[in-house]
Amino acid sequence: AQRVTQPEKLLSVFKGAPVELKCNYSYSGSPELFWYVQYSRQRLQLLLRHISRESIKGFTADLNKGETSFHLKKPFAQEEDSAMYYCAPPLSFGAGTTVTVRA
Amino acid sequence: GAVVSQHPSRVICKSGTSVKIECRSLDFQATTMFWYRQFPKKSLMLMATSNEGSKATYEQGVEKDKFLINHASLTLSTLTVTSAHPEDSSFYICSAVTGHSSYEQYFGPGTRLTVT
């Protein structure tokens, strides 16, 4: 089964500081990975998919096959980035990381 | 585009009754929809995969007779919680894929079920 690990349940950073959410996957082959975000009182929505290598809302995520990681990064966190973030292979979700950005 | 709706958003029912939750893709056809359950402050747990015109595929540990799924059209899937009990109280979320990307999911807003 395709599984991912998000080791950090909670992450608190100050506004303007860099933020990195860790995600490690544990299956072989070519993974298909996504980052989803859930803002307070809103539905889950797609943030990034690894195949597109795009930057959304300042976030990027690079697939590192050597380290089997797909960490999510943003150089300068904003208060509106406070949310729950899920790393997800197809049809399952990591445990999620709650990010709080403090002023 | 790619909007998914759920109805109702919140429902309270008595123990022993059945509750139906609808999931609709509003502006696209979804051959596949997924049903998740989310416990408070926990991640999503996939319950079943719903394919239009065929029987749903249930994840291990999910009772198919308890959670009836029907995907009668390309825009509608329903989840019926039969003979609901308080332990069925949860947040149920559906998602759909457009078909352009196999697993890029669009989520409904969720349905809060409370069984008294």
Side-chain angles (χ1 to χ4, degrees):
Chain A
Q2 300 176 341
R3 299 205 182 279
V4 294
T5 302
Q6 291 183 253
E8 303 135 332
K9 190 172 182 178
L10 301 170
L11 198 57
S12 181
V13 299
F14 285 104
K15 178 182 175 181
V19 60
E20 180 179 51
L21 288 75
K22 292 185 170 53
C23 173
N24 288 91
Y25 62 92
S26 59
Y27 51 94
S28 59
S30 297
E32 184 173 7
L33 291 167
F34 304 88
W35 275 100
Y36 289 91
V37 60
Q38 188 171 27
Y39 300 103
S40 178
R41 301 182 185 277
Q42 294 186 29
R43 71 183 69 191
L44 266 167
Q45 57 186 286
L46 178 69
L47 181 63
L48 285 175
R49 72 201 86 149
H50 87 277
I51 56 174
S52 61
R53 300 183 63 81
E54 57 197 340
S55 173
I56 301 293
K57 299 184 179 182
F59 284 97
T60 58
D62 291 320
L63 184 67
N64 186 322
K65 291 187 176 180
E67 297 182 356
T68 61
S69 68
F70 187 54
H71 301 332
L72 183 68
K73 302 176 184 178
K74 184 169 182 176
F76 308 104
Q78 302 299 314
E79 290 181 74
E80 55 265 29
D81 296 328
S82 296
M84 185 83 162
Y85 292 82
Y86 294 97
C87 179
L91 305 185
S92 70
F93 284 78
T97 299
T98 301
V99 173
T100 302
V101 181
R102 303 179 186 279
Chain B
V3 178
V4 176
S5 70
Q6 272 182 251
H7 178 80
S9 58
R10 189 182 298 267
V11 58
I12 301 172
C13 71
K14 291 186 177 180
S15 186
T17 62
S18 295
V19 174
K20 180 186 285 188
I21 302 170
E22 294 185 347
C23 178
R24 292 182 185 272
S25 56
L26 299 184
D27 50 1
F28 65 99
Q29 294 183 331
T31 55
T32 304
M33 291 183 172
F34 305 97
W35 287 96
Y36 293 87
R37 185 171 178 177
Q38 187 176 32
F39 293 98
K41 298 185 180 181
K42 298 288 186 183
S43 186
L44 282 75
M45 181 191 76
L46 179 66
M47 298 174 65
T49 301
S50 170
N51 293 297
E52 185 267 337
S54 63
K55 291 183 178 180
T57 302
Y58 290 83
E59 295 300 300
Q60 191 173 9
V62 178
E63 299 176 58
K64 60 180 181 181
D65 295 329
K66 174 77 170 175
F67 299 99
L68 299 179
I69 291 172
N70 184 276
H71 195 154
S73 77
L74 287 171
T75 60
L76 173 64
S77 175
T78 60
L79 168 67
T80 302
V81 183
T82 63
S83 187
H85 291 284
E87 57 266 30
D88 298 325
S89 298
S90 193
F91 196 57
Y92 292 88
I93 302 172
C94 75
S95 72
V97 294
T98 64
H100 298 301
S101 170
S102 297
Y103 298 111
E104 181 178 329
Q105 300 177 65
Y106 295 89
F107 289 86
T111 297
R112 172 75 59 195
L113 170 63
T114 303
V115 184
T116 61

